[in-house]
Amino acid sequence: MMDKGLLDTQGIVFLLLYLVSLIGVGIVGLLRSKESSMQDFYLGGTGFGVTILFLTMYATQYSGNSLIGFAGSAYRNGWFFLVSVTFMIAIVGGYMLYAPKLYLLSKKQRFITIGDYIRHRYEHRLLTNIIVFIGILALSNYMLTNLKAIGYILEYVTGGTVGFAEGIIAMAVIMVIYETLGGMRSVAWTDAIQGILLLAGVLIIFAVIWVQYGSIASNEALLLQVKTDFFREPLLADKIKWLSIVIMIFFGISVYPQAVQRIYAAKDAKTLKRSFQLMIIMPLLTTLPLIIIAIIGAAHFPDLDKGSSEQIILLMLSKLTHIEGMQYVITLFVAAAVAAIMSTVDSAMLAIASLFTQDIYHQHNPEASQKKLTLVGKLFSWILMAVMVYLAISLPSTIWWLIQIKLEILCQIAPAMMLGVHFKEVKSSSILYGLLFGLGFTLVFLLSPLPERPFGLHAGVLGLALNGLVVYLHHRFKNVLQ
Amino acid sequence: MLRRSPLLLFLTLPLLSSTPYAGLPLWAWGSLGASLLYAIVLIFSIEREWDEESNDG
């Protein structure tokens, strides 16, 4: 147990008030629901305007990892981690390869999940099931890693007053309550609060650190002295790694099932267009400041190990507690971190519950009423959260590598999404073979003693290239094959 | 332009030297500048080509 927490009584009270207010938002979401239907519950009645849609996209995309993990990575990797600014912008480029067409189609066909689109486009049960399974796997990873992160943060900032397991359980109960009360409406509205908190937190902390620790330029001499590796010449291997990361995230994160649901939930095309345009700016206002903070931190605290480097921002802030009002900044940082994590977990939970209800339960019970389906989805959310909490608390860290591979697997569904909307003549069999070859190749490299990064590229990126090649060859020569 | 814009991502690769300038190595300024260019192109091509993209085909 730690001796002293970073949050004082006022900070803890603020955090508690914020958490209780989220349940209030859930109740308002319940009161505003128009009908007991899957569309209304999982897409908020498809009526989100720019403010809510943009903020829910922003808060969902920037997880706890963006706030804590990105700073740690920037501390360890230096300026190379500017790749995260590039890939966070590139994700929107990935959406643009399919979102304009998919949005129109979703309005006509009343899609709720990613599985709805795959089923409609390809009419192939096995292909739909594989893609739904990959989606659930990736989202479960998101939930688990973020739940674990929230447990560590709460334990750290309260000095052990709130234990790791207690923190996870308390947050999980709050999230599942507001999610089952108002569905997507509650999740999007709480995401909006969390998005504002995240943005304000990052910008205020950036300003404080810039003023107190000096600018990048004024820290140059110190950095050149203690972090010479930040200024080494980029090697060919670095360039290949950069390219590989950008490709994997471009195709992987842009097809996240919860992101696809937000495309469906837009009120109209103009709303969606504006939200995406705003999302392009956010890496410059969120990711870049975090990298700069961490690099200034590396100049002042150069000898941290991996675990400590993840707490670089908290460490920098904790050294400024003699300044009046700094306690508020620390509270804001903790609230922003908790908000970033909660907005990711609640969206992932909602997306998994909708995938289960719509793509698994509904397919086996086609006669089930909308009311019953919504009820099943709510019940499933509670069971899912209980399982995830159990796993987050008990899963040994030795098997965490298994769930770190989500993006390499998730990007394999990109051809099904992106080619499907543009090329009507591409058949389900071509997509299925491509997916199986891509997945198979990726898993062989990730689960065997073979190198995880053949030729310096992520196995998932090479798997995606193979996936696309197989789709092309099968499509081109399928008549010859038959 | 929207479909071809990802090619700009190649410009973000760390291609320049490491000579420090205002606290950042030159290649970092280059990558940041290219990312900014990509962002601007993306914003404008979404504005101009969204309708065309959604109806095309």
Side-chain angles (χ1 to χ4, degrees), chain A residues 156-229:
Chain A
Y156 181 77
V157 298
T158 61
T161 309
V162 176
F164 172 70
E166 295 157 7
I168 292 178
I169 293 168
M171 293 297 124
V173 169
I174 291 168
M175 282 185 278
V176 81
I177 287 176
Y178 71 69
E179 192 256 13
T180 46
L181 280 171
M184 175 66 109
R185 241 181 227 98
S186 300
V187 167
W189 290 348
T190 51
D191 280 357
I193 299 171
Q194 288 154 351
I196 292 167
L197 209 49
L198 174 62
L199 182 61
V202 169
L203 293 178
I204 291 171
I205 288 158
F206 175 71
V208 167
I209 285 179
W210 187 273
V211 169
Q212 296 298 326
Y213 287 88
S215 67
I216 282 291
S218 64
N219 279 291
E220 183 184 313
L222 193 54
L223 272 172
L224 281 165
Q225 198 183 328
V226 296
K227 288 285 177 186
T228 45
D229 54 322

Side-chain angles (χ1 to χ4, degrees), chain A residues 1-18:
Chain A
M1 184 180 280
M2 283 145 259
D3 297 322
K4 190 173 177 294
L6 274 172
L7 289 186
D8 58 7
T9 314
Q10 273 183 321
I12 292 174
V13 169
F14 173 80
L15 202 60
L16 282 174
L17 283 175
Y18 159 65

Side-chain angles (χ1 to χ4, degrees), chain A residues 409-430:
Chain A
I409 291 173
L410 191 65
C411 66
Q412 304 307 323
I413 70 174
M417 296 296 294
M418 294 171 180
L419 298 176
V421 293
H422 291 289
F423 304 103
K424 289 196 174 88
E425 61 279 15
V426 174
K427 301 282 183 221
S428 57
S429 51
S430 304

Side-chain angles (χ1 to χ4, degrees), chain A residues 378-414:
Chain A
K378 289 182 183 183
L379 189 65
F380 180 77
S381 292
W382 280 87
I383 297 168
L384 173 73
M385 190 54 111
V387 172
M388 289 295 164
V389 165
Y390 173 75
L391 290 175
I393 294 170
S394 63
L395 212 59
S397 53
T398 44
I399 65 158
W400 274 97
W401 66 272
L402 258 179
I403 51 175
Q404 298 292 333
I405 59 178
K406 65 173 190 289
L407 274 182
E408 309 212 27
I409 291 173
L410 191 65
C411 66
Q412 304 307 323
I413 70 174

Side-chain angles (χ1 to χ4, degrees), chain A residues 60-138:
Chain A
T60 303
Q61 193 148 299
Y62 289 75
S63 63
N65 185 42
S66 313
L67 205 59
I68 312 287
F70 277 19
S73 292
Y75 177 93
R76 295 188 298 276
N77 298 299
W79 295 115
F80 182 84
F81 204 65
L82 279 176
V83 69
S84 59
V85 176
T86 306
F87 69 59
M88 293 306 277
I89 298 172
I91 294 167
V92 184
Y95 288 127
M96 285 310 112
L97 295 186
Y98 72 93
K101 277 192 170 62
L102 181 64
Y103 174 72
L104 268 191
L105 198 59
S106 74
K107 287 288 164 190
K108 283 182 200 152
Q109 302 297 333
R110 294 175 65 81
F111 294 152
I112 294 169
T113 65
I114 197 169
D116 282 339
Y117 163 66
I118 299 294
R119 194 177 303 107
H120 168 82
R121 168 62 181 81
Y122 298 106
E123 296 175 332
H124 196 290
R125 181 176 255 193
L126 179 62
L127 179 65
T128 310
N129 288 344
I130 293 174
I131 288 178
V132 167
F133 176 74
I134 291 173
I136 291 177
L137 188 77

